[in-house]
Amino acid sequence: VFHGRILAQRLVGQETRYEVEVKAPYRQRSPLVSREYLWVPNTCGCPPLREGGEYVLMARRHVNHEHTLNRILLQDGGYARPWTPREARLVREAARHC
């Protein structure tokens, strides 16, 4: 779970790749760097993330069996909400209780 700002969007094959500035990580199992690519397994624009927009994103690290692919994946129906101070507070509180 992290707070990120969408810098760019690009269609790559049957997926959408977003370049994201990581503003604040809230809960993570693997470290994030200041800029990451976030992959969405569709090209329909779902969820609707706009360039310049800030979001709270719940994604997972996806590593294939051969360990040749290591990326952040936002699954269909994944959590992607516009960032607000209230949203950030709720995420921090939830992370403390885990």
Side-chain angles (χ1 to χ4, degrees):
V1 178
F2 65 98
H3 167 201
R5 183 169 65 95
I6 306 299
L7 301 174
Q9 172 186 348
R10 180 176 182 203
L11 299 180
V12 179
Q14 297 298 312
E15 299 178 297
T16 305
R17 183 186 77 185
Y18 293 96
E19 183 177 353
V20 180
E21 175 187 3
V22 176
K23 303 287 249 174
Y26 295 118
R27 184 170 182 211
Q28 59 188 21
R29 291 186 177 153
S30 56
L32 296 172
V33 294
S34 62
R35 291 203 179 186
E36 293 277 1
Y37 286 122
L38 175 71
W39 292 85
V40 178
N42 66 55
T43 57
C44 69
C46 306
L49 303 176
R50 64 176 176 76
E51 289 184 33
E54 294 189 19
Y55 300 89
V56 172
L57 301 158
M58 184 182 302
R60 68 179 183 91
R61 179 74 59 182
H62 174 255
V63 180
N64 66 356
H65 294 291
E66 296 83 20
H67 295 279
T68 57
L69 184 64
N70 182 350
R71 61 191 188 162
I72 298 173
L73 180 67
L74 181 63
Q75 297 173 307
D76 288 333
Y79 189 85
R81 302 289 184 263
W83 183 89
T84 64
R86 178 183 179 275
E87 191 78 24
R89 188 181 76 246
L90 292 174
V91 172
R92 279 194 303 270
E93 288 172 6
R96 271 199 309 255
H97 297 298
C98 293

